[in-house]
Amino acid sequence: MLLYHASKHLIAQAHFRDIPRRLLSMSLTSPEAFSVEKHVAIAAVRRACLVTSTVFNQLVRDRTDTLKKEDDSPVTVGDYAAQAVINTVLRNAFPEDPIVGEEGADALRQGSNTKLRERVVSLATNALREDLIDGEKAQWGLGSQHEHSSEALLKAIDEGNDTGGPNKRMWTVDPIDGTKGFLRGGQYAVCLSLIVNSQVVLGVIGCPNIQIHPASPDEEKGCIFVAVRGQGAFQNTLSGTSAIKLPFFSSEKSYVLQSEESKHTNIPLIRRVSDELHLTEWGMDSQAKYCCLARGEGAVYLRMPAPTIGGKQPYEERIWDHAPGSILIEEAGGKITDSEGAPLQFGLGRGMGENHGFVATVDEELHARVVSAIKRAQLAEDPKKTNPTL
Ligand code: AMP
Ligand code: MG
């Protein structure tokens, strides 16, 4: 069955390379396009969310489970275990597809991290071995008949080391986007996307801490957001029920969603834009911002490069941090570009190139107003930089 599945997939890849562009775009938007990929991605993200929720409930206050990465962001046992789950599912379903993932398993292999490694293996194994639900298949490595050795799971984590680039079909994985939000019990997201020839064609985002109904914050939490190119964007519950087409909500206030981390964005500049457009600022961690925007809770998601000090290079954004969110916005009928109105680049490699920020809205007319308000805010902030004649 696995062989059958893999050969079908290889045929699909050959298909992409050989057929004319006009037909390729038709196949991308046919109602059946990426149906298997969608179900695989939902299964992978849902099971990764089981891991992250378990970790939060059992271990998150135990800070010995947190390692420091070079970039200083906290990496938890949940991060590794969630990536092990997602990559195991992808490897079983689509053995040939490259994966661009955030984590590597080097730290887990160190002798001093035996306890951490054992926890990662146990969490990932439990999530993969849970009983199948509707839409899931055993050949994706799921269910109790599969064993998962420690080495196989570490190898799966390392499978996420692809360099990205144009003219290929590849997955992006961010096992816990917004680790800081995760650690403080706020918003975080388990994010997966499929990119074909630099275009995002599928995005799945699991948000265990987003309430199902925006107007009822005390009700059940846990959503999974799904978008396929040409097929719309939907919110499901993490338990697998009730697909709602996005957007489905209209907020009374006009919110501008922005990063909760002051080092990740230019807060004073966003404040100028918000003041001009009478928007209310709403800080939130992770790609949950894209999800809230897509369902109608916010008006704008604005992310601007944080000012750099002492000649430091500006941060280069990563494809796994924006690919799933961007297709969700577009398929909800919205628009996303950089802050100058140019399309986002998903075919440059693991990074997205020179950082001009991000503007996402569900309302196209508002998008144009935000882009021009940014220009005025930049001029007010630094007249010399934006206008070299001054
Ligand atoms: P957010 O919660 O929206 O700030 O997004 C979290 C993501 O920001 C993380 O997954 C990081 O990949 C990314 N990130 C880390 N450092 C920076 C930075 N200096 N500027 C912008 N984004 C960053
Ligand atoms: Mg991230």
Side-chain angles (χ1 to χ4, degrees), residues 252-267:
E252 273 174 29
K253 265 194 178 166
S254 285
Y255 289 105
V256 56
L257 288 147
Q258 62 172 310
S259 177
E260 190 80 311
E261 288 297 324
S262 56
K263 284 194 223 142
H264 291 184
T265 198
N266 186 333
I267 288 173

Side-chain angles (χ1 to χ4, degrees), residues 102 174 176-178 320-321:
E102 193 173 7
D174 192 347
I176 300 185
D177 181 35
W320 56 77
D321 278 324

Side-chain angles (χ1 to χ4, degrees), residues 340-372:
E340 293 167 4
L344 303 181
Q345 303 278 346
F346 292 109
L348 299 179
R350 291 167 71 84
M352 297 183 68
E354 204 180 335
N355 187 347
H356 295 289
F358 299 79
V359 180
T361 63
V362 271
D363 168 344
E364 189 146 0
E365 187 265 335
L366 178 59
H367 187 280
R369 286 200 289 133
V370 176
V371 169
S372 68

Side-chain angles (χ1 to χ4, degrees), residues 38-272:
K38 179 175 84 173
H39 286 105
V40 167
I42 291 171
V45 167
R46 194 184 70 81
R47 286 175 183 255
C49 288
L50 293 179
V51 167
T52 59
S53 301
T54 306
V55 171
F56 185 80
N57 292 334
Q58 293 180 355
L59 306 172
V60 97
R61 284 168 201 93
D62 179 359
R63 297 300 295 255
T64 57
D65 292 306
T66 305
L67 296 178
K68 284 267 181 187
K69 266 197 315 191
E70 273 160 36
D71 68 2
D72 244 354
S73 79
V75 176
T76 64
V77 62
D79 235 346
Y80 288 115
Q83 183 159 316
V85 167
I86 293 173
N87 288 5
T88 299
V89 175
L90 292 179
R91 267 294 148 267
N92 278 281
F94 304 111
E96 306 294 325
D97 283 354
I99 305 171
V100 183
E102 193 173 7
E103 309 302 339
D106 283 353
L108 287 182
R109 289 198 170 88
Q110 286 162 20
S112 52
N113 285 326
T114 311
K115 194 174 150 224
L116 179 69
R117 182 171 62 245
E118 282 168 0
R119 273 185 173 163
V120 166
V121 168
S122 146
L123 279 156
T125 305
N126 289 345
L128 288 164
R129 284 168 57 89
E130 283 234 341
D131 288 346
L132 304 186
I133 64 160
D134 264 4
E136 295 184 337
K137 299 234 184 310
Q139 65 259 36
W140 302 340
L142 302 175
S144 57
Q145 74 268 44
H146 293 281
E147 301 292 337
H148 302 278
S149 71
S150 169
E151 196 37 51
L153 290 168
L154 296 195
K155 190 164 168 276
I157 294 174
D158 280 335
E159 294 275 0
N161 63 6
D162 192 77
T163 53
N167 310 324
K168 66 208 271 196
R169 168 180 152 125
M170 62 190 178
W171 295 86
T172 71
V173 177
D174 192 347
I176 300 185
D177 181 35
T179 14
K180 290 177 184 158
F182 171 68
L183 289 171
R184 56 178 167 239
Q187 291 306 334
Y188 70 96
V190 176
C191 304
L192 184 55
S193 81
L194 177 63
I195 298 177
V196 178
N197 297 341
S198 311
Q199 188 187 34
V200 189
V201 295
L202 163 69
V204 175
I205 303 180
C207 295
N209 288 341
I210 284 193
Q211 71 275 11
I212 292 165
H213 299 292
S216 324
D218 298 331
E219 278 186 20
E220 206 189 329
K221 288 178 179 173
C223 300
I224 186 157
F225 297 87
V226 181
V228 180
R229 180 72 57 200
Q231 296 175 29
F234 295 86
Q235 173 185 308
N236 295 13
T237 63
L238 264 178
S239 51
T241 52
S242 69
I244 308 173
K245 195 167 177 6
L246 307 183
F248 67 89
F249 187 74
S250 183
S251 177
E252 273 174 29
K253 265 194 178 166
S254 285
Y255 289 105
V256 56
L257 288 147
Q258 62 172 310
S259 177
E260 190 80 311
E261 288 297 324
S262 56
K263 284 194 223 142
H264 291 184
T265 198
N266 186 333
I267 288 173
L269 190 116
I270 293 178
R271 190 146 300 149
R272 283 182 195 274

